[in-house]
Amino acid sequence: MKNIPPSQLTILFPDTGVSASVVPSVLTKLRQRREDAAVSAGLPDWPANKRGLPNGALRSALFGISPKERRTYIIERHVAAIEGIQVFISRGPSLMQHHLDVWEQCLKLAKDQGTGRRIEFTAYAFLKSIGRNVGKSDSIWLKNCLYDLSACVVRLSDGHYTYFGPLIQGGSRDEITGRHVIEINPKIALLYGVGQWTQLDYAQRQQLRRHPLAQWLHAFYSTHASPYRYKVETIRTLCGADSAGELKKFRQLLRRALTHLGEATGWHWEIDSNDCVTIEKFSA
């Protein structure tokens, strides 16, 4: 037998006469078992003051900010995202930051009640949980958000796995009691691998609720332990802002949003002489 480096373990296979070509199939089966186990386990746990979301949804324009796109129906569009992430909307409406408010609460309920199972809630309780008013117009608003999330069919790849399907599988609503039942596809758990998801600070996001660009920036930079420098123009593309407008006007909007972000988080920000946004994370 050849000498084997001490750091390398010897893996012995019985001499069954089976070709080495079967080894890839063994690895495939092992990988499949691990995937099945991850799906069965459901979403990972996170604290009550956080919201767990796949990085691909936050490092892209999947949940954008442009009022012009708000009611646009899309057929097969590539969504801007950072390198290593691929996002497409195959069919459905454009999604905004208020859709993310609703989706993150749906995912929290899926964590607590289980993916692939009946997730039940009243419109009143749901609206209260995301800091909204609970009147008739707000119930209609919630209903339309849930419709949009179930109608939007996405392909979201984080470089390890690709999820394709609606963000909410569908559901039902009791028009008398206001009780909703929805389902989240269990396979979305595959986007929650190690280092592939982020816990958003819920209170900070709530402070930014009326400022969509600040919300997007908060979600985006929350996925970075040590934020990179990004060009202002790159930020404009990634957040789904109107690319036809003047960059100067977007820069003004960005400065206001960064000010709100800093007030909510204590992060220090700057737009440097190279027109790059720099973020330093520390408490004020």
Side-chain angles (χ1 to χ4, degrees):
M1 178 180 291
K2 295 181 180 179
N3 291 330
I4 299 174
S7 61
Q8 182 179 346
L9 296 178
T10 306
I11 302 176
L12 299 177
F13 293 92
D15 186 11
T16 59
V18 179
S19 169
S21 64
V22 303
V23 173
S25 67
V26 172
L27 295 177
T28 298
K29 289 179 180 179
L30 177 60
R31 182 181 178 89
Q32 185 63 57
R33 283 199 297 271
R34 289 177 176 173
E35 291 175 6
D36 291 344
V39 170
S40 298
L43 300 184
D45 195 20
W46 57 77
N49 64 341
K50 304 287 186 180
R51 294 294 183 268
L53 291 153
N55 286 344
L58 307 181
R59 293 177 172 177
S60 69
L62 177 58
F63 295 95
I65 69 160
S66 175
K68 289 185 177 181
E69 296 288 341
R70 186 166 293 162
R71 300 312 306 167
T72 302
Y73 188 91
I74 299 169
I75 298 178
E76 196 60 29
R77 187 177 79 181
H78 180 255
V79 176
I82 68 169
E83 185 177 354
I85 290 173
Q86 291 287 325
V87 183
F88 290 84
I89 296 180
S90 299
R91 295 288 188 280
S94 293
L95 301 177
M96 301 291 120
Q97 285 299 302
H98 64 273
H99 291 103
L100 181 55
D101 291 334
V102 172
W103 194 49
E104 68 184 18
Q105 181 63 16
C106 290
L107 291 173
K108 178 190 180 300
L109 294 173
K111 172 183 74 73
D112 297 338
Q113 300 183 32
T115 53
R117 300 178 182 177
R118 290 168 56 90
I119 299 169
E120 300 189 29
F121 56 87
T122 63
Y124 177 89
F126 195 103
L127 290 165
K128 288 283 286 185
S129 69
I130 62 172
R132 300 280 305 198
N133 294 327
V134 293
K136 182 178 179 180
S137 62
D138 298 281
S139 295
I140 294 172
W141 172 88
L142 175 59
K143 176 179 67 176
N144 288 329
C145 283
L146 293 171
Y147 287 166
D148 288 345
L149 289 167
S150 63
C152 189
V153 179
V154 304
R155 297 201 308 278
L156 178 59
S157 176
D158 61 11
H160 297 267
Y161 289 101
T162 296
Y163 170 81
F164 55 93
L167 295 174
I168 294 177
Q169 294 235 126
S172 63
R173 181 180 58 258
D174 186 319
E175 298 293 352
I176 306 301
T177 65
R179 192 162 193 82
H180 292 67
V181 177
I182 64 168
E183 283 188 21
I184 299 291
N185 190 329
K187 292 190 181 300
I188 209 162
L190 293 174
L191 297 179
Y192 283 80
V194 176
Q196 302 303 312
W197 64 287
T198 293
Q199 298 182 42
L200 290 188
D201 187 295
Y202 182 64
Q204 291 176 354
R205 182 169 173 83
Q206 283 288 85
Q207 290 184 57
L208 301 170
R209 185 162 63 86
R210 300 186 185 279
H211 306 287
L213 178 54
Q215 280 191 312
W216 184 90
L217 291 165
H218 177 255
F220 179 73
Y221 282 108
S222 290
T223 68
H224 295 66
S226 299
Y228 301 114
R229 295 165 68 248
Y230 290 94
K231 286 278 192 182
V232 168
E233 189 170 7
T234 301
I235 294 291
R236 180 175 69 169
T237 299
L238 288 173
C239 73
D242 181 14
S243 59
E246 293 182 36
L247 186 60
K248 177 181 178 181
K249 291 184 177 180
F250 175 76
R251 192 179 296 108
Q252 294 171 347
L253 179 67
L254 179 60
R255 287 184 182 278
R256 291 195 293 271
L258 287 167
T259 298
H260 291 307
L261 178 66
E263 292 170 350
T265 62
W267 300 347
H268 179 267
W269 65 272
E270 179 186 15
I271 298 179
D272 64 22
S273 58
N274 293 315
D275 208 31
C276 290
V277 177
T278 62
I279 297 282
E280 291 183 71
K281 292 185 177 182
F282 54 82
S283 299

